[in-house]
Amino acid sequence: MTKVQALLAGLPDETKQQFIPLFGDVDKFYTVMYLIAKNEHITGNEKPDRYQERLDVIRRIRSKVENIVSSFGLDGAELVADVASDYFEDYVNFREPSVMLTNEEFVETINKIAAFN
């Protein structure tokens, strides 16, 4: 368990409850943000067709999550950056953690974030 995962696990129950509508729980929040960081990194490195548009969408979603988490009384930008730091730590050490989230669940969560007011 990373420091940010421990921080999320140790949040008060009333704070954890705020993650449920969009993410299901704090563990899924962590996984979604990890995958967003991974997608941003891969897209920036591999530069597929229309990569700049893809990066713009990824960054808009990340920014929206930062604002949503800040509305929970947490430092959203710092929390999201900490999850990204975990991703990069795994990347440079050639670790590929198992992801307990299907592609469908990931896309569904991204769509919920995009539609969130």
Side-chain angles (χ1 to χ4, degrees), residues 87-96:
Y87 161 73
F88 283 108
E89 180 73 20
D90 288 344
Y91 177 78
V92 299
N93 289 297
F94 302 100
R95 287 189 297 249
E96 187 70 36

Side-chain angles (χ1 to χ4, degrees), residues 30 33 44 100 115:
Y30 179 89
M33 295 317 304
M100 305 305 283

Side-chain angles (χ1 to χ4, degrees), residues 9-111:
L11 289 173
D13 286 341
E14 57 272 7
T15 303
K16 287 181 185 178
Q17 293 295 317
Q18 296 181 75
F19 285 86
I20 292 174
L22 285 177
F23 302 101
D25 59 32
V26 293
D27 293 329
K28 284 187 180 177
F29 162 78
Y30 179 89
T31 301
V32 167
M33 295 317 304
Y34 187 98
L35 292 173
I36 287 172
K38 181 178 181 177
N39 279 299
E40 183 176 10
H41 180 236
I42 290 170
T43 301
N45 279 346
E46 295 181 0
K47 296 182 177 32
D49 290 342
R50 299 176 30 207
Y51 80 94
Q52 192 58 53
E53 290 174 40
R54 292 179 187 192
L55 283 175
D56 291 345
V57 170
I58 292 167
R59 290 172 180 153
R60 272 197 307 273
I61 294 294
R62 186 190 65 221
S63 177
K64 195 164 191 177
V65 171
E66 289 172 357
N67 291 331
I68 291 166
V69 172
S70 292
S71 76
F72 299 166
L74 303 168
D75 186 337
E78 183 176 333
L79 199 54
V80 169
D82 288 346
V83 175
S85 179
D86 286 353
Y87 161 73
F88 283 108
E89 180 73 20
D90 288 344
Y91 177 78
V92 299
N93 289 297
F94 302 100
R95 287 189 297 249
E96 187 70 36
S98 62
V99 174
M100 305 305 283
L101 192 69
T102 66
N103 283 337
E104 291 79 18
E105 290 173 311
F106 178 67
V107 170
E108 180 183 319
T109 303
I110 296 299
N111 287 334

